[in-house]
Amino acid sequence: MRPALLAGCAVAAGAVAAAARRVARFRPVPVDTDPADAGGLDAAGMAERLGELIRIPTVSSRDPGAVDRAAFARFRERLAELYPHAHRVLELRVLGDGALLHRWPGRTDGDPLVLMAHHDVVPVDGQAWSGDPFSGRVADGVVHGRGAIDDKGSLVAVLEAVESLAAEGFVPARDVWISSGHDEEVAGEGARLAVAELRRLGVRPWLVLDEGGAVVRGVFPGVAGQVAVVGLAEKGRAGIELSVTDPGGHASAPVPGGATARLARAVLRVDRAPFPVRVDDVVLGMVDALGRAATPGYRALFAHAALLRPLLGSVLARAGREANALVRTTAAVTQLEGSRARNVLATRARAHLDVRIALGETVASTVERLRRVVDDPAVEVRVVDGEDPSPVSRTDNAAFAALTSAVRAVYPEAAVAPYVMVQASDARHFCAISDSVYRFMPFDLTREELAALHAADERIRVDALHRGAVFHRHLIRRL
Ligand SMILES: [Zn+2]
């Protein structure tokens, strides 16, 4: 064998051995945690209390006149009655029209934990519920009704934990703040007011936890076990309007290339030129965490994810609509408008684009690219509204370790995987005052249960609700 070839073989053998070592080391990262302590928590009682809160129809609306303010006032009163020990230790602030901000003073002045929820719910109109959406019925180990998960379930899990600890005379090591918005579902002011108040008080949260991911199973290829998906960031969003104006005239004497045709061409260009795929560090972190928990074939592939970024990107982009949305900016044409009359040429044709912006891009860069893709000076590209992607929260600090440890205390088998939320949430406002804002609901939920969020037959299993309360107890006790 010639020396060069021999050397080549040696290098190749070395690379194969290194790859094999890499795969062998590519295992779930051990987490240091105590078993969870569920002391004082009463699953049946918390189910009844959640049921009662579901029966108070705190439906939010963009039309202030349509909001049942009495229901919101009743909700706040009932909360104080249902959780007497918690309300003995909590200092309460009501902000704006009814956002709740509670402080549980801790033993030290260390930066606090902020637990977020919201107590408004989306409407039920036009949905085919199999029973009364506001029954709050508890049957066969399930609590039924609007808000069972989103997000009265989260609020109840937090308050049950605080109630049980306060009853024991426990005092947390740091302050614990509980922020519950009254208008989250209509992108209202509740969370912004809470952030403004904390800022005014000079509070820099150590860890902020809001709704978002959950503990799921069977969602990722090659991963059979439970996965706790924790949102580290949110995509940006923008409403963008494409419009073309034209002299118009009677439809009996059209001119080729009129407003509707120009607009249609622009829409097709946008549709045919998807935004570039980008595997950001959060997606890479997700693949890393999932890969370690995957079956051997997937594990061997995912162990090299960082080296295979471009390949990974194209695999994810083809792996279905949700996976595709993780790796690129998406633009959906949601509205088209032409002439109001059937026999009159459009003087203005308009398309609305609902755009979700990937990390690393901005509203400005997105519009700039859309203009290039449309490539037609006759088409006006206008931003109706928009927000850049949120910052990415840290995973290399004690706050994330505390979160991971609480997850593993309650779900010992679960892999903890970071992800990027494709929807916008209230948590983004807290990024202005904390670098550790996580979006995670400590409930194990099935695909069907997740699909009922904002839809008919929303419900939560009592054992999932109970585990959520155990999670919050653990998190608070270990601050
Ligand atoms: Zn929600």
Side-chain angles (χ1 to χ4, degrees), residues 158-225:
V158 168
L159 287 175
E160 292 286 338
V162 174
E163 179 76 4
S164 72
L165 289 167
E168 292 167 15
F170 177 86
V171 180
R174 308 161 179 268
D175 284 5
V176 177
W177 291 81
I178 303 168
S179 169
S180 182
H182 62 302
D183 54 7
E184 191 272 350
E185 299 290 5
V186 291
E189 60 171 14
R192 271 196 293 270
L193 292 174
V195 170
E197 177 69 2
L198 293 175
R199 208 198 268 273
R200 190 183 68 77
L201 295 167
V203 172
R204 299 280 311 175
W206 178 67
L207 193 173
V208 179
L209 188 62
D210 193 13
E211 59 180 337
V215 181
V216 296
R217 190 191 286 276
V219 174
F220 302 98
V223 185

Side-chain angles (χ1 to χ4, degrees), residues 118 150-151 184-185 211 454:
H118 63 88
D150 183 10
D151 197 29
E184 191 272 350
E185 299 290 5
E211 59 180 337
H454 287 209

